[in-house]
């Protein structure tokens, strides 16, 4: 949550900061602000709302010639979006941007009020800035003051700081919130994420926790708490700036759905060797998987929904019990963990605070952890005992699409590898499924994408609904949970997902005339039962959209008002196609309603706060 950018060097900083904030807007976008140094003086400009409002307030020529500054795009945690709550927060001696949550901000505020500090905002950040100001006045040394501040803080932070006494030097430090620093030909940068630095350099340092970076404009220096110089490992970005751009699509979400075939190829291909799943590149010895007695899949939101699909697959193919847990619950409810358990963390960003905390909880109990992560080198990836990377490439739209599809494919591979190690399938069966994943799934998604216009037409029939239900059985019910989340997060239509047999135990009372019910029917063994569910809702006036194949529709005489027909394919890979159709449906509903598809209200791409 929240995006931080900073530049100090030889160029005008404001265009660089604005461009960086635009790239980081996916992390939060309810307000934004910049502090820039000009002629040795710090100036702050802040604005509630989108970045364009801030840009309008930063009128030249006043910003011309300013060569160092820090910027912030906010996802509100403490205090409503407003000018006064926007970052940077400034004091007599400094200006500061923050990503994270300071848990003991109230105590800090009380303490400083007694020292005469007056607060203008409702934020935790302003209290942290004031405490730094207090220490700086006492020790007169930015480094010492920052480390004293950090010792006093509870919670998470990534800070970018400018002191009025050294307006061309940026100080940066972090705990539990991401921050990278980079050196370019003409200046130094800090950023919450890689895409914002890509126009200038592919080389960067992922700042270690507790290490202070001091950016002079020409050099970056790193210090530990003792004030000693330390080194950080330079990393190089393997993808390019084009991959993070819209590439002709109206929205990142649509572009990213269209990237699914390629993302699936990249995720599956390197892991199939001689017809079998092979993790030896990443897990030199994965035989420990064979002795695991129980899996706990822990994640949030869409990643957790991928976990539900994984549960179906792993239990079906490897006959291994799987619990799927919401990370924010797992960390606090003292789950029963035993020595032969494996905790699998799934995360696109690898920075989700709850998932990271769940990982740390499992490790503190001595339980082995395996991360399935998209962002290379992210916190979850680095801290887990083992990691399997999904290869979706950068995902910018807040609504996760291709990341979910590749998470499901990786869980499919995991299920097959476990099945091999546990002897629950024959080699022939495993090879057949591996081949389907490798050769048929990407092509199936390509055929599915050709139906985008049909999906758009169907979307137009449900876009004005107030409530929409998704029903399905078996793995379809797991797909429904994700389909429903996708719809509600970007279209603001209230939606719920139900295992279709469960609807009649209460929720069917909400199904009245013309309420849309989207029925997923891709599993032949329960198709008859799904048909019963459809009949029940139709009898109450529902407008039913069925997602199935032509063959299943005919064979089971599915009654429906509207159809989303999936391409013919082996039933075991149909969930991939159904997923893409559901993502397109949510996309088109949102786009037809004229909403901000990529940046839905109240959300952020990377949830780095609890
Ligand atoms: C889904 O579209 C969301 N953006 C959200 O549920 C997301 O999947 C969740 O916050 C987890 O994020 P992660 O995969 O980066 O950990």
């Amino acid at each position: 949550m929240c995006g931080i950018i900073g530049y100090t060097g030889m160029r005008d900083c404001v265009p660089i900061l604005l461009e960086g904030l635009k790239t980081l807007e996916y992390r939060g976008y309810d307000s934004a602000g910049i502090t820039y140094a000009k002629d040795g003086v710090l100036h702050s400009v802040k604005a509630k709302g989108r970045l364009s409002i801030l840009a309008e307030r930063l009128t030249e020529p006043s910003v011309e010639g300013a060569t160092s500054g820090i910027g912030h795009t906010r996802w509100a945690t403490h205090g409503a979006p407003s000018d006064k709550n926007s970052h940077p927060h400034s004091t007599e001696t400094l200006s500061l941007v923050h990503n994270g949550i300071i848990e003991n901000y109230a105590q800090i505020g009380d303490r400083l009020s007694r020292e005469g500090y007056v607060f203008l905002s409702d934020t935790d950040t302003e209290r942290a800035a004031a405490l730094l100001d207090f220490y700086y006045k006492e020790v007169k040394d930015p480094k010492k003051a920052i480390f004293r501040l950090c010792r006093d803080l509870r919670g998470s932070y990534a800070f970018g700081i400018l002191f009025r006494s050294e307006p061309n030097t940026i100080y940066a430090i972090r705990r539990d919130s991401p921050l990278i620093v980079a050196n370019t030909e003409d200046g130094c940068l800090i950023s919450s994420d890689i895409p914002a630095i890509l126009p200038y350099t592919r080389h960067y340092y992922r700042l270690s926790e507790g290490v202070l970076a001091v950016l002079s404009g020409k050099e970056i220096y790193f210090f530990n708490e003792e004030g000693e110089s330390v080194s950080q490992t330079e990393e190089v970005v393997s993808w390019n700036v084009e991959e993070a751009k819209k590439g002709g699509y109206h929205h990142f979400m649509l572009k990213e759905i269209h990237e699914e075939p390629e993302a699936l190829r990249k995720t599956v291909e390197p892991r199939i060797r001689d017809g079998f799943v092979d993790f030896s590149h990443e897990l030199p010895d994965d035989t420990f998987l064979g002795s695991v007695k129980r899996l706990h899949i822990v994640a949030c939101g869409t990643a957790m929904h991928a976990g539900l699909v994984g549960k179906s697959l792993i239990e079906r193919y490897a006959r291994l019990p799987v619990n799927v847990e919401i990370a924010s619950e797992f960390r606090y409810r003292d789950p029963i963990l035993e020595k032969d358990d494996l905790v699998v963390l799934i995360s696109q960003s690898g920075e989700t605070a709850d998932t990271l905390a769940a990982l740390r909880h499992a490790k503190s109990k001595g339980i082995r952890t395996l991360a399935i992560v998209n962002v290379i080198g992210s916190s979850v990836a680095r801290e887990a005992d083992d990691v399997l990377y999904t290869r979706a490439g950068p995902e910018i739209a807040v609504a996760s699409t291709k990341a979910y599809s590749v998470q499901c494919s990786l869980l499919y591979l995991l299920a097959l590898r476990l099945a091999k190690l546990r002897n629950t399938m024959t080699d022939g069966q495993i090879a057949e499924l591996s081949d389907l994943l490798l050769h048929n799934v990407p092509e199936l998604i390509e055929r599915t994408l050709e139906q985008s216009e049909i999906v758009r037409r169907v979307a137009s029939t449900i876009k004005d609904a107030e409530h929409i239900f998704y029903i399905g059985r078996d793995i379809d019910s797991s797909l429904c949970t994700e389909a429903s989340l996708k719809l509600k997060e970007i279209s603001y239509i209230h939606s719920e997902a139900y295992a279709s047999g469960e609807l009649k135990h209460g929720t069917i009372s909400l199904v009245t005339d013309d309420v849309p019910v989207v029925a997923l029917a891709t599993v032949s063994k329960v198709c008859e039962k799904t048909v019963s569910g459809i009949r029940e809702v139709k009898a109450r006036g529902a407008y039913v959209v069925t997602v199935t194949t032509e063959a299943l529709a005919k064979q089971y005489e599915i009654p429906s008002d509207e159809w989303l027909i999936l391409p013919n394919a082996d039933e075991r890979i149909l969930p991939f196609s159904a997923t893409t159709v559901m993502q397109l449906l949510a996309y088109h509903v949102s786009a037809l309603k004229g909403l901000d598809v990529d940046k839905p209200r109240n959300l952020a791409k990377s949830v780095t706060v609890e």
Side-chain angles (χ1 to χ4, degrees):
M1 318 309 247
C2 300
I4 288 179
I5 184 86
Y7 173 83
T8 176
M10 278 141 58
R11 294 171 57 181
D12 275 1
C13 69
V14 170
I16 296 174
L17 298 179
L18 282 176
E19 198 52 39
L21 290 179
K22 203 162 140 206
T23 311
L24 294 170
E25 240 189 332
Y26 74 89
R27 302 178 65 84
Y29 36 82
D30 56 46
S31 51
I34 277 177
T35 292
Y36 60 93
K38 191 168 175 203
D39 303 328
V41 179
L42 297 188
H43 304 268
S44 294
V45 182
K46 315 202 268 191
K48 177 187 167 188
R50 290 297 164 86
L51 206 50
S52 51
I53 306 172
L54 176 71
E56 277 165 24
R57 290 188 186 175
L58 282 159
T59 43
E60 291 182 49
S62 63
V63 298
E64 230 174 70
T67 56
S68 73
I70 49 177
H72 186 271
T73 178
R74 180 169 185 250
W75 186 85
T77 58
H78 295 62
S82 64
D83 287 4
K84 70 168 186 180
N85 288 334
S86 311
H87 300 213
H89 287 284
S90 302
T91 70
E92 261 179 58
T93 62
L94 60 97
S95 188
L96 168 152
V97 285
H98 168 221
N99 170 27
I101 287 183
I102 307 301
E103 287 165 2
N104 55 337
Y105 80 102
Q107 294 95 308
I108 293 172
D110 289 347
R111 179 180 151 197
L112 292 171
S113 296
R114 289 195 293 276
E115 300 287 342
Y117 279 84
V118 176
F119 298 106
L120 305 174
S121 78
D122 311 312
T123 63
D124 51 341
T125 305
E126 193 188 10
R127 275 71 182 165
L131 187 56
L132 181 58
D133 177 88
F134 179 77
Y135 285 141
Y136 178 67
K137 283 175 180 161
E138 202 174 291
V139 298
K140 311 269 183 317
D141 176 333
K143 293 206 281 288
K144 284 188 183 146
I146 291 170
F147 280 118
R148 265 186 86 172
L149 167 76
C150 292
R151 277 202 294 278
D152 282 5
L153 298 181
R154 281 207 320 271
S156 57
Y157 52 78
F159 289 128
I161 309 159
L162 280 177
F163 285 89
R164 294 187 196 277
S165 55
E166 302 174 52
N168 295 320
T169 304
I170 297 177
Y171 290 82
I173 194 160
R174 72 175 200 98
R175 183 205 291 161
D176 285 350
S177 293
L179 198 64
I180 59 170
V181 296
N183 210 339
T184 75
E185 275 177 11
D186 53 35
C188 301
L189 290 152
I190 63 168
S191 173
S192 296
D193 202 358
I194 294 166
I197 63 156
L198 274 185
Y200 316 103
T201 181
R202 302 168 73 82
H203 297 255
Y204 68 98
Y205 302 91
R206 202 177 287 275
L207 199 56
S208 299
E209 300 216 343
V211 169
L212 176 66
V214 182
L215 290 76
S216 75
K218 286 195 183 126
E219 299 287 342
I220 304 174
Y221 306 94
F222 299 105
F223 299 95
N224 65 15
E225 203 175 339
E226 283 69 48
E228 298 156 348
S229 208
V230 290
S231 60
Q232 296 280 274
T233 313
E234 193 180 65
E235 296 179 47
V236 185
V237 186
S238 57
W239 38 274
N240 62 41
V241 77
E242 282 315 306
E243 285 180 77
K245 287 198 175 154
K246 278 190 200 155
Y249 290 92
H250 283 306
H251 298 101
F252 278 112
M253 182 177 174
L254 190 59
K255 173 183 178 246
E256 288 160 6
I257 295 172
H258 279 79
E259 286 169 348
E260 282 173 8
E262 194 49 26
L264 285 158
R265 277 188 195 103
K266 284 186 178 159
T267 301
V268 174
E269 245 171 41
R271 284 150 175 150
I272 307 259
R273 198 159 311 150
D274 301 328
F276 290 100
V277 178
D278 181 348
F279 289 136
S280 60
H281 285 321
E282 303 125 294
L283 311 177
D285 179 10
D286 70 355
T287 48
F288 74 91
L289 287 173
S291 55
V292 165
K293 296 278 180 299
R294 202 165 48 139
L295 278 189
H296 304 264
I297 299 183
V298 187
C300 303
T302 292
M304 190 274 290
H305 293 156
L308 295 174
V309 171
K311 175 183 166 74
S312 283
L313 298 170
I314 293 166
E315 291 190 342
R316 184 192 308 165
Y317 295 129
R319 307 304 299 155
L320 179 68
V322 181
N323 289 332
V324 180
E325 299 257 6
I326 295 168
S328 53
E329 291 295 313
F330 180 84
R331 62 185 293 197
Y332 291 118
R333 70 169 193 84
D334 195 13
I336 299 168
L337 297 170
E338 285 164 1
K339 96 173 161 23
D340 291 325
D341 289 1
L342 175 69
V343 172
V344 178
L345 295 307
I346 308 178
S347 177
Q348 187 285 126
S349 62
E351 299 294 347
T352 301
D354 287 320
T355 309
L356 190 56
L359 162 70
R360 290 175 181 168
H361 178 78
K363 287 188 80 175
S364 75
K365 300 281 174 196
I367 305 299
R368 189 160 184 156
T369 55
L370 167 68
I372 294 181
V373 175
N374 196 45
V375 176
I376 294 172
S378 55
S379 302
V380 172
R382 279 180 295 135
E383 292 190 28
D385 296 314
D386 295 293
V387 58
L388 293 171
Y389 282 110
T390 50
R391 304 280 177 196
E395 191 180 63
I396 307 296
V398 165
S400 185
T401 53
K402 60 176 178 170
Y404 171 79
S405 296
V406 293
Q407 283 160 357
C408 293
S409 72
L410 197 38
L411 288 161
Y412 221 126
L413 295 176
L414 185 61
L416 295 180
R417 181 64 187 145
L418 284 163
K420 170 81 179 153
L421 292 166
R422 293 166 59 81
N423 281 319
T424 49
M425 289 169 83
T426 64
D427 282 358
Q429 288 169 324
I430 295 176
E432 190 193 347
L433 265 172
S434 306
D435 191 60
L436 278 173
L437 284 176
L438 181 62
H439 294 116
N440 298 43
V441 170
E443 182 258 356
L444 170 63
I445 307 300
E446 272 155 12
R447 282 189 288 145
T448 307
L449 287 167
E450 286 165 14
Q451 301 185 17
S452 190
E453 271 313 297
I454 298 171
V455 181
R456 188 167 181 273
R457 186 187 54 72
V458 174
S460 71
T461 68
I462 61 169
K463 76 175 179 38
D464 296 319
E466 264 182 68
H467 313 278
I468 295 185
F469 292 91
Y470 285 83
I471 60 170
R473 281 178 179 254
D474 198 273
I475 201 165
D476 285 341
S477 85
S478 303
L479 301 182
C480 283
T481 58
E482 174 55 12
S484 169
L485 173 66
K486 211 83 304 164
L487 182 84
K488 66 189 142 204
E489 71 176 321
I490 58 169
S491 75
Y492 315 147
I493 297 175
H494 166 243
S495 153
E496 290 190 41
Y498 271 87
S500 52
E502 184 63 12
L503 206 64
K504 58 185 174 293
H505 295 287
T507 310
I508 202 161
S509 66
L510 297 174
V511 177
T512 52
D513 277 351
D514 300 326
V515 168
V517 174
V518 180
L520 262 68
T522 72
V523 186
S524 54
K525 73 171 187 220
V526 288
C527 226
E528 272 177 3
K529 306 289 170 199
T530 304
V531 169
S532 308
I534 294 175
R535 287 195 198 289
E536 285 160 14
V537 293
K538 273 190 78 63
R540 275 127 190 118
Y543 170 77
V544 175
V545 177
T546 303
V547 184
T548 190
T549 60
E550 212 170 326
L552 288 171
K554 272 199 189 125
Q555 188 182 346
Y556 294 96
E557 295 177 3
I558 302 178
S560 191
D561 299 294
E562 189 52 88
W563 299 93
L564 287 169
I565 296 293
L566 305 174
N568 276 328
D570 188 298
E571 191 175 312
R572 292 166 293 180
I573 56 168
L574 273 182
F576 289 101
S577 176
T579 292
T580 304
V581 165
M582 293 295 91
Q583 292 167 346
L584 285 172
L585 187 66
Y587 169 77
H588 285 304
V589 168
S590 176
L592 285 166
K593 290 178 84 166
L595 297 172
D596 192 344
V597 177
D598 288 333
K599 297 193 191 88
R601 71 184 177 210
N602 300 345
L603 294 176
K605 180 69 181 165
S606 184
V607 187
T608 55
V609 293
E610 215 190 307

